[in-house]
Amino acid sequence: MEALGTLIQKLSSPRKIVITTHVKPDADALGSSLGLSNYLIKKGHEVTVITPSDYPYFLTWMKGNDQVLDFSKEGDHKKALGKLEKAELIFCLDFSVLNRVNELGELIRQSKAFVVNIDHHQDPEDFAQYRLWSTAAAATCELVYELIVELGDKNLIDKHIAACLYAGIMTDTGGFRHPNTTKNVHLVVAELLEAGADATAIANLIYDSNSLNRLKFIGFAITKRLVVREDLHLAYFVISKKDLKKYQSQTGDTEGLVNYALSLDGVKLAALFSEREDGVKISFRSSVDVAVNKFAAAHFGGGGHKNAAGGKSSLSLKKTVTRFESLVEEYQEDLFHSIEVPTL
Ligand code: 5GP
Ligand code: MN
């Protein structure tokens, strides 16, 4: 592993840089990518952000969105390959295992570029030459902010960069509510507000830009697709492909849905199963005293954070859910009694 000095030296002259992030980017993934990209462009580098897939419509306001290449899109794919081939540096943001970027993973593994990984997820894979990694960080955006400051360029953080970084911190802390909302989060956010991020506008863009279809879909899901197992402190949604089609679901429409299950009194473990073209996508959320990331990694090929993780399954929707319930029954001792409950 190289030291920060090597990265500083590499960035001391104009470079061809690619920034990439995980599949179906969320606000932290896209915000850290575009925040860093806008900064590096200001420093005179040629920067391309490549995402492995599309992302929610409520993130498209970020500066630089129009230049993002979607590797899964026919029109962008070839261009992205060309950029990757020429890249001298590749920044991998908000993921730490290469299977989170689909086919891009193998290209990164084989690339001759200097690979930098900036992330806050557990158990990083060893694929980068330089890693800025901390699970104590609430968001990758927090780490990108700290990197820019460390590079002596705090004054280059303008309102656009600040807005990108603010968005990721806001969403990864669940609107400054999750246990990762540290003093440092507030200190960083204070600086971002000072630099011009508009907290109200960003919250509006991300949380209050529902389509009517999405709102109806949420109502439908809560009414018809929520399963509650009080005896297991468990609640979960099961959403079929047909349901998604009926409500003309867009990328991002299921985001946040799982939190309604967790918000139920007495529920400590919540999940969302959604049937996609390439299998069942699973989101897990838990209360502070329950850890879901190891469960997701052990049984659903996924991972994430202690209280927010994800995974996938290639079984049918029904079989996935049956398997999940029996796993929760089997491992409830480990799941529900492994962590001390913090007291106020
Ligand atoms: P979400 O449920 O919002 O998709 O993801 C919650 C958290 O788990 C995020 O931090 C995300 O990066 C992580 N995560 C989601 N799906 C996967 C997965 O398939 N593999 C891994 N390693 N992490 C995931
Ligand atoms: Mn993140």
Side-chain angles (χ1 to χ4, degrees):
M1 188 72 48
E2 299 282 349
L4 177 63
T6 314
L7 175 63
I8 294 174
Q9 193 263 325
K10 297 246 174 222
L11 291 175
S12 64
S13 55
R15 299 286 183 183
K16 290 188 171 58
I17 296 175
V18 161
I19 298 176
T20 189
T21 188
H22 62 75
V23 66
K24 294 286 172 187
D26 55 12
D28 190 33
L30 195 73
S32 58
S33 298
L34 287 174
L36 181 64
S37 145
N38 287 319
Y39 158 71
L40 290 171
I41 289 169
K42 269 187 157 179
K43 294 287 281 182
H45 303 288
E46 189 190 312
V47 191
T48 309
V49 175
I50 303 174
T51 56
S53 71
D54 65 343
Y55 47 83
Y57 57 89
F58 52 80
L59 299 179
T60 54
W61 52 269
M62 292 180 189
K63 186 178 175 189
N65 170 72
D66 295 348
Q67 273 78 51
V68 173
L69 299 178
D70 172 356
F71 203 62
S72 70
K73 214 166 104 186
E74 218 183 304
D76 288 358
H77 189 85
K78 229 172 145 187
K79 234 189 254 175
L81 281 175
K83 295 287 182 190
L84 275 163
E85 207 163 292
K86 291 200 190 87
E88 296 165 278
L89 285 99
I90 299 177
F91 282 82
C92 298
L93 302 191
D94 202 38
F95 70 91
S96 49
V97 282
L98 285 177
N99 71 7
R100 293 284 284 141
V101 288
N102 298 346
E103 307 92 84
L104 275 172
E106 218 28 59
L107 297 172
I108 293 167
R109 207 188 293 282
Q110 287 163 14
S111 172
K112 290 187 178 65
F114 186 79
V115 176
V116 179
N117 184 204
I118 306 179
D119 185 48
H120 66 137
H121 291 89
Q122 310 273 349
D123 305 323
E125 190 181 323
D126 189 12
F127 65 85
Q129 274 87 61
Y130 176 69
R131 185 158 68 204
L132 175 56
W133 175 80
S134 167
T135 51
T140 300
C141 284
E142 187 181 342
L143 294 171
V144 167
Y145 170 82
E146 279 166 2
L147 176 66
I148 298 174
V149 172
E150 184 76 27
L151 296 176
D153 289 326
K154 191 176 154 189
N155 62 322
L156 290 186
I157 301 180
D158 58 30
K159 65 175 183 184
H160 301 291
I161 296 172
C164 291
L165 299 181
Y166 181 94
I169 299 174
M170 180 187 77
T171 57
D172 264 26
T173 56
F176 309 104
R177 297 190 319 161
H178 296 333
N180 59 1
T181 312
T182 58
K183 174 182 171 185
N184 193 57
V185 159
H186 283 292
L187 290 172
V188 169
V189 156
E191 297 293 339
L192 296 175
L193 294 176
E194 174 84 9
D198 184 335
T200 311
I202 296 167
N204 264 309
L205 286 162
I206 290 183
Y207 294 130
D208 297 328
S209 61
N210 282 323
S211 63
L212 189 56
N213 264 334
R214 185 186 186 200
L215 221 52
K216 285 183 176 171
F217 168 70
I218 292 170
F220 161 80
I222 293 171
T223 318
K224 303 277 189 199
R225 296 289 184 258
L226 180 62
V227 179
V228 183
R229 287 280 309 262
E230 272 178 52
D231 55 323
L232 290 176
H233 304 287
L234 169 70
Y236 60 85
F237 288 101
V238 183
I239 308 291
S240 70
K241 235 186 257 179
K242 227 167 127 185
D243 295 337
L244 294 170
K245 203 168 165 210
K246 186 173 165 202
Y247 287 90
Q248 294 161 40
S249 171
Q250 309 283 310
T251 295
D253 276 1
T254 54
E255 212 167 294
L257 183 63
V258 64
N259 296 319
Y260 288 101
L262 189 65
S263 75
L264 269 171
D265 195 21
V267 166
K268 289 167 177 272
L269 175 61
L272 162 67
F273 299 86
S274 49
E275 191 183 23
R276 308 280 164 165
E277 289 309 322
D278 53 348
V280 179
K281 181 191 176 325
I282 315 167
S283 285
F284 298 106
R285 297 291 185 272
S286 62
S287 54
V288 275
D289 51 333
V290 174
V292 277
N293 50 344
K294 291 209 166 63
F295 180 77
H299 306 293
F300 294 98
H305 310 288
K306 193 181 101 186
N307 302 125
K312 31 194 167 313
S313 162
S314 48
L315 297 175
S316 71
L317 186 60
K318 202 161 166 221
K319 282 191 176 147
T320 302
V321 173
T322 308
R323 179 165 174 257
F324 166 71
E325 270 214 22
S326 52
L327 284 167
V328 175
E329 279 177 17
E330 190 178 339
Y331 292 105
Q332 56 179 307
E333 283 292 314
D334 295 347
L335 272 167
F336 296 143
H337 303 292
S338 55
I339 294 163
E340 265 179 53
V341 186
T343 46
L344 290 175

